[in-house]
């Protein structure tokens, strides 16, 4: 991205691991009138959409260059959901985060900087701020409602990704990753990217969200990971305490892999000496024992109730960091082998 995107240092004091913050902020933007009825003389209730991000503006990005040896990958990370529906000073409702609001940006930064702390070493890390839809869309438990609401958010992510591609060194390997709503974005980016971009893809990491059969039919770029070193693949996982806690809206997925032992069968793996992680081949989710996840409080009976949704980027962070390195090396080795004939012989 060169000088067009300003690099920022990873904060070492960020503490939040929670996927949703409950707060309303007063900001005014252009509004559009809703169709809800109002009494005579009353101001019509309106909803509004925040101003779109400008990805030529370096403040719309969080970046870390940890690849001083130029042997790593470019990582494009998409943050999860951090806002509820909120109102501006005029009482207009907004269903999206506002990238120009410093409070909203700070909450997104909490997650981005923590993920960047373990993904950026040896790599170049890029994460855009975007108008992610609020948690309220997911509380409807309605697929159509969610799909309609996230469309604007996904448009932002695709615009950011296109800008990122136009600025980066195209010879470098590529990784895309995202958590929760960011996982939706990863799936959409796989559909959005060209075949040429896909050829640079080391892996796509869908953390804490699903990949559906319909998704796999919409693009050839979604290929389930089968092990630790395959490239051009999609890594998808969701964590529950029991399969009865699978949330159809979030984790009813058609693929899954254990990020501790990189198996797709039910072979258990031990994490941090006390936690057992095993994949359910039937439900494609991780079933954990020996871990309470008590630091992740239940939220409106949607997340952290029998599942451990909010732990997805953190519980397996060491495994993910190592796997990013392993797959990147595998991609580079394969690329060198395929292009060995392109290197001119020394005279």
């Amino acid at each position: 991205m060169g000088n067009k995107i300003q690099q920022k240092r990873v904060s070492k004091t960020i503490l939040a691991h929670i996927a949703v913050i409950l707060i309303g902020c007063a900001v005014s933007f252009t509004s559009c009138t809703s169709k809800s009825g109002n009494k005579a003389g009353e101001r019509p209730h309106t909803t509004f959409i925040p101003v779109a991000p400008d990805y030529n503006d370096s403040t719309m990005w969080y970046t870390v260059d940890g690849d001083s040896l130029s042997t790593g990958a470019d990582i494009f990370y998409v943050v999860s959901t951090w806002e509820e529906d909120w109102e501006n000073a005029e009482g207009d409702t907004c269903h999206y985060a506002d990238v120009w609001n410093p409070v909203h940006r700070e909450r997104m930064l909490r997650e981005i900087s923590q993920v960047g702390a373990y993904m950026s070493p040896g790599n170049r890390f890029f994460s855009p701020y975007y108008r992610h839809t609020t948690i309220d869309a997911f509380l409807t438990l309605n697929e159509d409602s969610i799909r309609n609401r996230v469309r604007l958010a996904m448009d932002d992510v695709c615009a950011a990704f296109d800008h990122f591609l136009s600025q980066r060194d195209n010879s470098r390997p590529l990784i895309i990753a995202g958590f929760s709503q960011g996982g939706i974005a990863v799936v959409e980016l796989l559909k959005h990217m060209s075949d040429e971009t896909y050829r640079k893809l080391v892996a796509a990491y869908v953390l804490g969200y699903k990949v559906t059969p319909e998704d796999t039919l919409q693009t050839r770029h979604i290929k389930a990971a089968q092990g630790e070193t395959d490239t051009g693949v999609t890594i998808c996982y969701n964590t529950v305490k029991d399969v009865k806690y699978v949330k159809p809206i979030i984790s009813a997925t058609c693929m899954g892999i254990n990020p501790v032992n990189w198996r797709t069968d039910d072979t258990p793996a031990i994490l941090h000496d006390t936690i057992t992680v095993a994949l359910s081949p039937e439900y494609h989710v991780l079933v954990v024992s020996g871990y309470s996840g008590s630091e992740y409080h239940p939220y409106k009976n949607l997340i952290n109730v029998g599942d451990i949704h909010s732990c997805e980027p953190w519980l397996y962070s060491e495994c993910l960091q190592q796997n990013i390195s392993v797959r990147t090396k595998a991609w580079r080795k394969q690329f060198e082998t395929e292009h060995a004939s392109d290197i001119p012989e020394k005279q």
Side-chain angles (χ1 to χ4, degrees), residues 25-34 43-49 85-95:
C25 303
V27 192
S28 70
F29 287 100
T30 305
S31 64
C32 55
T33 304
S34 71
R43 176 182 179 275
H45 179 73
T46 59
T47 59
F48 72 99
I49 296 175
D85 279 358
W86 55 287
E87 294 183 350
N88 66 358
E90 287 73 33
D92 302 324
T93 300
C94 185
H95 302 305

Side-chain angles (χ1 to χ4, degrees), residues 73-305:
D74 288 348
I75 299 177
F76 184 90
Y77 180 78
V78 188
V79 70
S80 67
T81 308
W82 281 86
E83 301 301 326
E84 281 192 321
D85 279 358
W86 55 287
E87 294 183 350
N88 66 358
E90 287 73 33
D92 302 324
T93 300
C94 185
H95 302 305
Y96 300 95
D98 169 22
V99 298
W100 304 98
N101 183 321
V103 178
H104 291 198
R105 288 166 57 86
E106 172 60 27
R107 285 200 279 267
M108 286 186 267
L109 178 62
R110 295 176 187 180
E111 176 187 324
I112 293 170
S113 61
Q114 281 188 291
V115 172
Y118 71 80
M119 286 192 179
S120 65
N123 303 296
R124 296 174 185 169
F125 181 85
F126 306 86
S127 186
Y129 296 98
Y130 72 109
R131 293 174 294 178
H132 62 263
T133 192
T134 59
I135 191 66
D136 298 74
F138 299 91
L139 292 174
T140 67
L141 303 181
N142 183 290
E143 295 280 4
D144 290 336
S145 176
I146 295 170
R147 189 177 301 109
N148 290 334
R149 192 74 65 79
V150 302
R151 187 172 294 119
L152 179 142
M154 297 303 104
D155 285 347
D156 277 4
V157 173
C158 288
F161 188 67
D162 289 345
H163 179 81
F164 159 76
L165 292 178
S166 72
Q167 302 298 306
R168 84 181 197 102
D169 178 352
N170 191 46
S171 67
R172 289 173 57 83
L174 170 67
I175 288 172
I176 57 176
F179 167 46
S180 197
Q181 186 169 166
I184 301 176
V186 171
V187 174
E188 294 308 309
L189 286 176
L190 287 165
K191 301 173 187 176
H192 173 76
M193 68 174 55
S194 67
D195 290 344
E196 179 183 359
T197 299
Y198 175 70
R199 284 191 286 271
K200 304 295 183 181
L201 186 70
V202 173
Y205 292 81
V206 180
L207 314 180
Y209 212 78
K210 62 188 177 184
V211 177
T212 68
E214 291 75 17
D215 291 327
T216 64
L217 293 174
Q218 292 174 26
T219 179
R220 297 175 297 174
H221 300 158
I222 298 178
K223 184 172 65 172
Q226 299 299 312
E228 183 180 14
T229 62
D230 44 353
T231 60
V233 295
T234 298
I235 291 94
C236 177
Y237 65 77
N238 290 272
T239 307
V240 298
K241 298 178 181 179
D242 188 283
V243 293
K244 68 183 180 182
Y245 295 116
V246 169
K247 304 289 194 301
I249 289 295
I250 296 173
S251 52
T253 184
C254 68
M255 65 175 65
I257 192 167
N258 189 329
V260 183
N261 60 10
W262 299 104
R263 300 285 294 257
T264 57
D265 58 20
D266 60 0
T267 302
I270 303 300
L271 179 66
H272 304 317
D273 298 325
T274 59
I275 303 169
T276 301
V277 183
L279 182 76
S280 165
E282 180 181 0
Y283 293 92
H284 311 289
V285 297
L286 304 174
V287 181
V288 299
S289 59
Y291 175 68
S292 67
S294 58
E295 66 268 40
Y296 302 112
H297 301 293
Y299 179 74
K300 295 190 176 182
N301 205 37
L302 176 64
I303 57 175
N304 303 330
V305 183

